[in-house]
Amino acid sequence: MKRLLQWTLVASFIGWPNLAGAQQPDLIFINSQPRYCTNGGAGSYSCADLPSGSSDYWYGVAVGDLNGDSRPDVVITNVAFANSLCLNDGNWSFACGDFGSGSKSSTNAAIEDMDNDGDLDVVFAKANTENELCLNDGSASFSCDVVSADTNTTYGVAVGDLDGILGPDLVFANSHDRNRVCLNDGSASFSCSDVSTEEWYSQDIAVGDLDGANGPDLVFSNYDSLPPITDPGMSVCLNNGAGSFACSDDTSIVATTGVALADLDGTDGLDAVFSKKSWFSAACLNNGTGSFSCHDVGSAEVDKHNSNDVALADINGDGHIDAVFANKREESDHACLNDGTGVFTCGAVGSEDTGSAAVATISPWNFSDGFESGDATRWSSTVP
């Protein structure tokens, strides 16, 4: 399991009113002392601490308007202690406190209206215990219960209407166990089943329509840390329209830690970017059928990093989707600018070598929805 002492998590607020009420992408970094960074324009940032308190075990983040004031609030997960809820007053100021009954061992979170009552709820991915759904009463007060009896070590959670009825549904990325899909009956009760029979060390998941048919599909990043590395770095699971999937694995890339989806080259739908360990990260261009051709992100020796996750956003305002990579301790985080064809030029983000754990992105097309760490695009929103 990752240790947050070594890494920072980054959340990106893209295209909806940011922390100050403007329209540039802002960032949140989660390490032992979470902090937020506001965009001064063209991707330049100034940063300050979130009043969440310090912990070596902060791990994940999700963002959404939880109290109905049209401002993005922040949920920070913790793998050892209480999760944190930070309510935003709209002027770079937050009031943070324990989430409440959202319990320990949370690796990740997603925010979405799971019971169709008009306010955003929170789903927690958990380690070695049941994943948890916390229903919101509309004022950021929550009532929590388990999603199912599954007790996997879950690193990633994503949301989408996977069967075209009664959604939204849930997908969980599990470690050395079968990944799981949980279909919603419309009232936040779930029927769960395996995505496939494979048992990879899945780290992350992204949801989006990869083949232009049958609704949202799934892409998993898989990280096998023990040589010889045999796990495929990418698993693509195409939806039959009813929330059942046909999966294929790609071993041309390995040791991937995060994945995000967006149209990188303006053709053939959603492409994928993967963060990777100890090598170049990868951009994988979709041919429109859910088949991908991958190449390195960056080309210089300095572009090789131990990257833990990736977020996608137009960070310099040129109309192309760029990538921000969260890198391990003693490495600066990196931003890679897209030339519009899926080819990237990279440079350091800031001078700090604090290390980063993960990156969460917020869809620029529907700010009333909630979004989760580890997922770049949302089926419930219009994807780029």
Side-chain angles (χ1 to χ4, degrees):
M1 181 180 290
K2 301 177 186 175
R3 285 292 305 277
L4 240 308
L5 179 63
Q6 300 177 358
W7 302 310
T8 302
L9 186 146
V10 183
S12 175
F13 297 81
I14 305 168
W16 61 322
N18 65 7
L19 301 179
Q23 290 288 332
Q24 301 98 357
D26 294 335
L27 304 173
I28 289 182
F29 295 81
I30 307 298
N31 57 11
S32 59
Q33 174 53 66
R35 59 196 176 103
Y36 63 87
C37 298
T38 55
N39 192 334
S44 63
Y45 293 92
S46 59
C47 302
D49 290 344
L50 274 169
S52 57
S54 62
S55 172
D56 290 340
Y57 301 96
W58 296 128
Y59 204 92
V61 68
V63 182
D65 178 16
L66 297 175
N67 59 356
D69 64 358
S70 299
R71 297 167 181 150
D73 307 305
V74 180
V75 173
I76 307 170
T77 66
N78 195 299
V79 294
F81 303 106
N83 301 314
S84 183
L85 171 61
C86 296
L87 297 178
N88 179 7
D89 75 359
N91 192 32
W92 303 311
S93 179
F94 292 84
C96 298
D98 289 351
F99 185 87
S101 57
S103 56
K104 302 176 183 178
S105 302
S106 296
T107 57
N108 218 323
I111 293 178
E112 181 59 279
D113 181 6
M114 300 304 302
D115 56 357
N116 297 302
D117 67 350
D119 50 49
L120 296 178
D121 310 303
V122 182
V123 183
F124 289 104
K126 311 292 282 296
N128 301 314
T129 188
E130 297 94 342
N131 297 314
E132 192 171 44
L133 170 62
C134 296
L135 297 178
N136 188 356
D137 69 359
S139 64
S141 180
F142 296 87
S143 175
C144 301
D145 201 354
V146 299
V147 173
S148 73
D150 294 343
T151 57
N152 307 298
T153 294
T154 302
Y155 282 117
V157 55
V159 183
D161 185 1
L162 302 176
D163 59 359
I165 56 173
L166 302 175
D169 308 304
L170 297 170
V171 185
F172 295 101
N174 295 324
S175 169
H176 284 174
D177 209 337
R178 296 180 182 183
N179 297 316
R180 299 282 280 174
V181 57
C182 295
L183 300 180
N184 190 350
D185 70 358
S187 65
S189 292
F190 297 89
S191 175
C192 301
S193 60
D194 297 336
V195 174
S196 73
T197 60
E198 302 293 351
E199 297 182 0
W200 305 129
Y201 186 7
S202 294
Q203 293 281 285
D204 199 5
I205 180 176
V207 178
D209 186 358
L210 303 177
D211 59 358
N214 299 324
D217 309 302
L218 313 176
V219 181
F220 293 93
S221 67
N222 305 314
Y223 176 59
D224 184 355
S225 60
L226 299 176
I229 297 175
T230 57
D231 282 9
M234 171 170 51
S235 296
V236 176
C237 299
L238 299 181
N239 194 347
N240 70 355
S244 294
F245 298 88
C247 299
S248 60
D249 300 319
D250 190 336
T251 57
S252 67
I253 58 173
V254 296
T256 62
T257 54
V259 59
L261 297 177
D263 186 356
L264 302 177
D265 59 359
T267 64
D268 297 324
L270 295 177
D271 308 303
V273 178
F274 291 88
S275 55
K276 296 176 63 180
K277 291 283 191 181
S278 304
W279 197 249
F280 295 108
S281 292
C284 299
L285 301 182
N286 188 355
N287 69 359
T289 68
S291 294
F292 293 85
S293 175
C294 301
H295 61 267
D296 293 340
V297 173
S299 58
E301 190 70 20
V302 295
D303 295 330
K304 295 179 181 178
H305 296 284
N306 282 298
S307 296
N308 294 305
D309 211 345
V310 57
L312 302 181
D314 180 7
I315 62 175
N316 63 346
D318 66 353
H320 306 311
I321 299 297
D322 309 305
V324 180
F325 291 96
N327 297 328
K328 64 171 287 186
R329 187 175 61 178
E330 299 177 355
E331 294 185 22
S332 297
D333 299 318
H334 266 61
C336 297
L337 301 181
N338 183 2
D339 68 0
T341 68
V343 175
F344 295 85
T345 302
C346 301
V349 177
S351 58
E352 297 89 353
D353 294 334
T354 55
S356 298
V359 181
T361 48
I362 307 302
S363 168
W365 296 275
N366 188 343
F367 83 89
S368 64
D369 279 347
F371 302 90
E372 63 269 11
S373 169
D375 194 23
T377 59
R378 295 290 308 286
W379 182 252
S380 56
S381 303
T382 303
V383 294

